[in-house]
Amino acid sequence: MTDLWDGLSRAFFLLVSLDADLVEITLRSLRVTLTALLIASLIALPFGALLAVRRFRFRRTTIAVLNALMGLPPVVVGLIVYVFLSRSGPFGVFGLLFTPTAMIIAQIIIIVPLIASIAHQALRELWSDYHDLLISMNTTHIQRIQTLLWDGRRALLTAALAGFGRAIGEVGAIMVVGGNIDHHTRVLTTAIALETGKGEFAMALALGFILIGLAILVNIAIHWLTQTEREGRW
Amino acid sequence: MSDLFPLKVEQAVSRRRGKVLVGPVDLTLKARGTTVVIGPNGAGKTSLLRMLHGIARLNAGKITWNCPQDEAQRRQSFVFQTPVMLRRSVRDNLAYPLRVLGTPRADALQQADDWAERVGLGYAVNRPATVLSGGERQKLAIGRALIRSPDVLFLDEPCSSLDGRATREIEDILQKAAASGTRLIMSTHDMGQARRLASEVLFILGGKVHEFGPATPFFEGPQTAQARAFLRGDIVE
Ligand SMILES: Nc1ncnc2c1ncn2[C@@H]1O[C@H](COP(=O)(O)OP(=O)(O)OP(=O)(O)O)[C@@H](O)[C@H]1O
Ligand SMILES: [Mg+2]
């Protein structure tokens, strides 16, 4: 019990004193995840919109695959990325293994299906509203996708935030491909795993508080966005 | 620009899951006038208009405009029975059809403001379209359909939720459009409106064209018992 109180108070001290390691790890986490989120959104959002407006032959299969990919265990994603990036793998020459880039790649693979799937669900509803009008106006497919992405931007932001939450809290895949190297690839989740293993509860708890804080912020943002969406403001 | 009309409809049928919504329809529409489609609920008015406009599947028969199909398509607008509101401001809703055609933003917005004024929504240009009342939505939909100055304008019960004054204002706009050469094809349940606007009447029953001809003779003496009953407000058997 005294251990816990001791850990908590020292964790609190680390936080308020803006401990250098703590700040460095947090910033790296944010940089990796925000980069992954940006790239994943650029892929997933238009793809979700395309799935909503286009009727192509393998549409149902694509959606089923997308949903299945959402449940992919992150560690397995990490393993696959590892195999591709390792020295003997097809992309070995780039020397990306154990770099932040490798972690970004893994996170992109993990959150693209999630973001695309949520985006598709939201935009499908919007499309059933807009369908008749946009067909009647002779819009091109590109214009339809643009219109949906713009008018559905609130729901899409929610999808992106869900992706952020998943990516920032993920540990398995980035541990495998990043290697948790100090001052290089150590991020919030991998650092927590390491510090806990070492019995350094103060640092682990401080990192944990930051992670929890980020998760709460994201959830408040999602809540607020869906709220205003329902009220019909935007 | 070539002529869109005559529009020839031959044995056209539109089905949905095996059920015939409308047809078979044989019809020739000439270049001038206003065609008013009337008939009881579920008769197929909406289905007919959608089929003519080309947004409902044509399962059999032919619909031929006097010009290439894609050109004909570009020169039509449609006002839906339940107006579709884009989740944007009223101004952006009005500007949308022009933006899609590539009109520069400033120009499109200026025309949008102009049309908002004309349909009586000048006070609401900055509101989200989704908060508009039923009548305001219809006005917006009409402005948005007219902003492209279409040669053919389909209207599906465009004044069903408008009060007397707004109805007259919209009829005014429609009559001006008709006078300047826009071909109107509209459905309505308001027989007063049908009399005021129609130059020809299409009475539809059970998905089939029951009577079709010039308005004045139709309203003075319908040929069929069903049309007579409908005009009297009786139940149509
Ligand atoms: N998508 C659809 N699937 C199945 N049946 C449909 C569909 N759309 C319309 N119908 C049916 O086709 C018939 C004609 O419908 P339509 O909407 O054309 O009638 P309407 O004359 O416009 O009626 P109202 O005056 O009520 O607007 C109705 O019986 C309707 O239930
Ligand atoms: Mg109808």
Side-chain angles (χ1 to χ4, degrees), chain B residues 42 45-47 81 156-157 187 189:
Chain B
K45 301 180 292 297
T46 300
S47 307
Q81 187 162 3
D156 195 1
E157 299 187 32
S187 73
H189 279 293

Side-chain angles (χ1 to χ4, degrees), chain B residues 196-216:
Chain B
R196 288 190 294 274
L197 296 179
S199 62
E200 56 185 6
V201 174
L202 200 157
F203 177 61
I204 186 166
L205 196 60
K208 299 211 168 54
V209 177
H210 207 75
E211 248 185 273
F212 176 49
T216 318

Side-chain angles (χ1 to χ4, degrees), chain A residues 144-228:
Chain A
R144 288 171 200 172
I145 289 173
Q146 283 172 343
T147 305
L148 287 189
L149 289 178
W150 180 248
D151 288 1
R153 59 191 179 278
R154 263 171 194 282
L156 298 181
L157 203 51
T158 311
L161 283 171
F164 177 82
R166 174 109 198 249
I168 194 103
E170 199 283 316
V171 56
I174 50 172
M175 185 75 102
V176 171
V177 302
N180 194 23
I181 302 166
D182 203 9
H183 301 304
H184 186 45
T185 57
R186 182 160 302 170
V187 291
L188 286 169
T189 50
T190 55
I192 291 176
L194 178 76
E195 301 294 334
T196 311
K198 286 199 303 194
E200 288 285 345
F201 293 118
M203 190 61 174
L205 282 169
L207 293 160
F209 287 144
I210 293 177
L211 209 48
I212 292 171
L214 286 172
I216 291 175
L217 276 182
V218 165
N219 276 297
I220 290 174
I222 290 180
H223 181 79
W224 180 74
L225 280 169
T226 42
Q227 185 96 356
T228 49

Side-chain angles (χ1 to χ4, degrees), chain B residues 42-68:
Chain B
K45 301 180 292 297
T46 300
S47 307
L48 176 69
L49 295 181
R50 290 171 64 98
M51 182 173 77
L52 295 180
H53 181 48
I55 54 172
R57 190 173 301 136
L58 185 63
N59 296 96
K62 272 196 299 199
I63 294 179
T64 21
W65 298 88
N66 196 29
C67 69

Side-chain angles (χ1 to χ4, degrees), chain A:
Chain A
M1 206 53 199
T2 46
D3 264 10
L4 181 63
W5 283 119
D6 185 44
L8 276 175
S9 61
R10 283 199 294 133
F12 186 71
F13 179 74
L14 285 173
L15 279 175
V16 292
S17 67
L18 293 177
D19 178 78
D21 276 350
L22 195 67
V23 171
E24 186 199 315
I25 292 172
T26 306
L27 289 181
R28 184 175 305 111
S29 246
L30 285 174
R31 205 181 66 226
V32 167
T33 299
L34 287 175
T35 310
L37 180 65
L38 181 73
I39 298 170
S41 297
L42 287 178
I43 300 168
L45 299 182
F47 185 62
L50 184 76
L51 282 180
V53 303
R54 278 296 290 259
R55 308 249 157 267
F56 51 88
R57 204 140 76 84
F58 296 110
R59 194 172 144 273
R60 279 177 173 285
T61 325
T62 312
I63 292 168
V65 169
L66 204 62
N67 288 331
L69 285 179
M70 261 204 299
L72 213 60
V75 183
V76 177
V77 173
L79 174 64
I80 295 168
V81 174
Y82 186 100
V83 168
F84 274 81
L85 297 185
S86 68
R87 206 164 282 281
S88 54
F91 302 111
V93 287
F94 299 113
L96 289 177
L97 201 57
F98 304 132
T99 64
T101 310
M103 305 199 291
I104 292 171
I105 293 172
Q107 290 198 343
I108 291 172
I109 296 174
I110 292 168
I111 62 177
V112 158
L114 178 73
I115 299 177
S117 182
I118 300 178
H120 169 239
Q121 268 166 36
L123 295 182
R124 194 177 50 183
E125 219 169 278
L126 192 59
W127 176 239
S128 74
D129 263 20
Y130 282 15
H131 178 272
D132 285 352
L133 183 70
L134 267 53
I135 300 274
S136 159
M137 283 182 185
N138 249 328
T139 47
T140 63
H141 278 292
I142 299 285
Q143 288 171 333
R144 288 171 200 172
I145 289 173
Q146 283 172 343
T147 305
L148 287 189
L149 289 178
W150 180 248
D151 288 1
R153 59 191 179 278
R154 263 171 194 282
L156 298 181
L157 203 51
T158 311
L161 283 171
F164 177 82
R166 174 109 198 249
I168 194 103
E170 199 283 316
V171 56
I174 50 172
M175 185 75 102
V176 171
V177 302
N180 194 23
I181 302 166
D182 203 9
H183 301 304
H184 186 45
T185 57
R186 182 160 302 170
V187 291
L188 286 169
T189 50
T190 55
I192 291 176
L194 178 76
E195 301 294 334
T196 311
K198 286 199 303 194
E200 288 285 345
F201 293 118
M203 190 61 174
L205 282 169
L207 293 160
F209 287 144
I210 293 177
L211 209 48
I212 292 171
L214 286 172
I216 291 175
L217 276 182
V218 165
N219 276 297
I220 290 174
I222 290 180
H223 181 79
W224 180 74
L225 280 169
T226 42
Q227 185 96 356
T228 49
E229 171 108 80
R230 230 174 285 124
E231 282 164 11
R233 307 197 319 246
W234 64 93

